[in-house]
Amino acid sequence: ICQTPEYYPSRNEAALLQEHATRIIEYCQPEHLIELGSGSSRKTRFLLDACAEQGQHCVYWPFDVAEEMLNASAAELVADYPWLTVRGLLGDYNGGLAQLPLPEQGRRLFAFLGGTIGNFEPDAAQAMLAEIRSMMRPGDFLLLGADRVKDEHILEAAYDDAQGHTARFNLNVLNVLNRELDADFPVDNFSHRAWFNAEDSRIEMRLRATSDHRVRFGKLNAEIEIAAGEEILTEVSRKFTDESLSQTLKDAGLALHEHLEAPDAAYSLVIAGVIKPVL
């Protein structure tokens, strides 16, 4: 999906990291780089390249739910960056961050990229950022990637690509429910829909029923009626304005230090730090 012509967020974020990695590392001077939802760590390499150029040999702490990917990416990184120490953390950040065995000493840069903050409802996004804030000390920073409000046709196309990759991904939700809950969703009787909810500033991915039917959930001993035209909301991706992004950070106790924007304000990387209490 990230490689489709329509899906701009990954390319915009990678371009911003490539352009501004030197500035980010100069500003934050991290001794530890902690990435939440690290995945393949592909885009993180721009930051590691900047660390190498500046002799800022930090320790990398990737945190991800996928153990195989975590191990594979760590092996590739230590091979490509001989100076790098990787401390992989396996888990789901939705389960909480308080128990992470993070370093107690040294400047830390927390990275939360991919526009993932947009997948949270507003209250949950604030809670997530506040939890990160609770782990930060003066001198620590957060590098956050966030997608921006823009023309609705560009937004909707990004989540409904012409090749149908996103549609197949979304419809697979029903296959998972059928497998895990012994359900009997007729997958062929649903269609993928993505639309920009301007009131809530978010893309909504939905599955629309094309016929009336009843669905049985064997493992739940339950049944539901679904009418033709009824929709199941499967995913949201919130888009930010300058104002909403700044307010979200502020509400979580974070102060915006640097705001790096893609052309036409299509995407943002922000560096945020702890708001100092008023004495």
Side-chain angles (χ1 to χ4, degrees):
I1 291 172
C2 293
Q3 302 304 315
T4 62
E6 299 91 342
Y7 196 78
Y8 62 86
S10 290
R11 289 189 294 275
N12 280 344
E13 186 174 71
L16 282 172
L17 285 167
Q18 185 175 24
E19 181 180 357
H20 297 288
T22 297
R23 168 62 177 159
I24 293 168
I25 297 304
E26 284 178 347
Y27 191 90
C28 300
Q29 298 183 10
E31 295 171 65
H32 301 275
L33 172 58
I34 302 156
E35 184 171 10
L36 306 178
S38 55
S40 67
S41 303
R42 178 177 57 86
K43 287 179 286 190
T44 316
R45 287 173 174 265
F46 294 119
L47 298 174
L48 296 176
D49 288 341
C51 285
E53 291 168 3
Q54 298 176 39
Q56 187 69 43
H57 291 175
C58 65
V59 178
Y60 179 46
W61 302 72
F63 180 38
D64 201 86
V65 71
E67 183 174 8
E68 185 176 346
M69 180 175 287
L70 194 65
N71 290 332
S73 61
E76 292 175 1
L77 288 172
V78 295
D80 293 341
Y81 302 90
W83 53 267
L84 183 65
T85 298
V86 178
R87 305 290 188 195
L89 301 169
L90 180 65
D92 183 353
Y93 51 67
N94 288 306
L97 304 174
Q99 302 305 314
L100 287 181
L102 298 181
E104 294 296 329
Q105 303 296 323
R107 291 181 305 276
R108 302 178 302 178
L109 172 59
F110 292 82
F112 194 29
L113 302 172
T116 307
I117 194 63
N119 297 131
F120 294 80
E121 296 287 352
D123 288 347
Q126 181 181 334
M128 179 68 179
L129 293 176
E131 188 170 18
I132 297 172
R133 155 67 181 85
S134 71
M135 298 188 298
M136 295 170 65
R137 302 184 299 258
D140 290 345
F141 292 99
L142 168 65
L143 178 65
L144 179 69
D147 199 6
R148 299 287 295 277
V149 171
K150 58 183 67 65
D151 182 274
E152 65 180 35
H153 296 98
I154 296 174
L155 288 167
E156 290 174 359
Y159 295 84
D160 192 12
D161 60 279
Q163 298 176 68
H165 294 303
T166 312
R168 289 189 289 275
F169 172 81
N170 197 19
L171 286 162
N172 193 52
V173 169
L174 302 180
N175 292 322
V176 174
L177 291 172
N178 286 346
R179 182 181 69 242
E180 300 297 328
L181 297 180
D182 187 26
D184 58 357
F185 278 99
V187 180
D188 291 341
N189 289 22
F190 283 83
S191 62
H192 166 71
R193 179 174 178 243
W195 76 290
F196 181 59
N197 179 340
E199 182 177 352
D200 294 329
S201 293
R202 69 185 196 180
I203 280 285
E204 296 182 359
M205 293 212 323
R206 295 173 172 268
L207 294 171
R208 174 178 285 179
T210 58
S211 64
D212 298 339
H213 57 276
R214 175 178 294 181
V215 178
R216 176 190 59 84
F217 297 86
K219 290 189 178 180
L220 300 179
N221 192 28
E223 293 184 346
I224 60 172
E225 298 283 347
I226 298 180
E230 191 170 357
E231 295 182 340
I232 303 171
L233 176 64
T234 56
E235 184 178 329
V236 300
S237 183
R238 187 178 173 205
K239 310 304 176 183
F240 294 86
T241 62
D242 276 343
E243 293 77 14
S244 64
L245 183 55
S246 297
Q247 191 63 48
T248 298
L249 291 168
K250 183 178 180 180
D251 290 344
L254 292 163
L256 195 156
H257 287 232
E258 294 269 335
H259 189 169
L260 311 170
E261 292 184 300
D264 299 324
Y267 196 89
S268 289
L269 281 177
V270 298
I271 300 172
V274 176
I275 293 178
K276 297 179 181 179
V278 178
L279 300 179

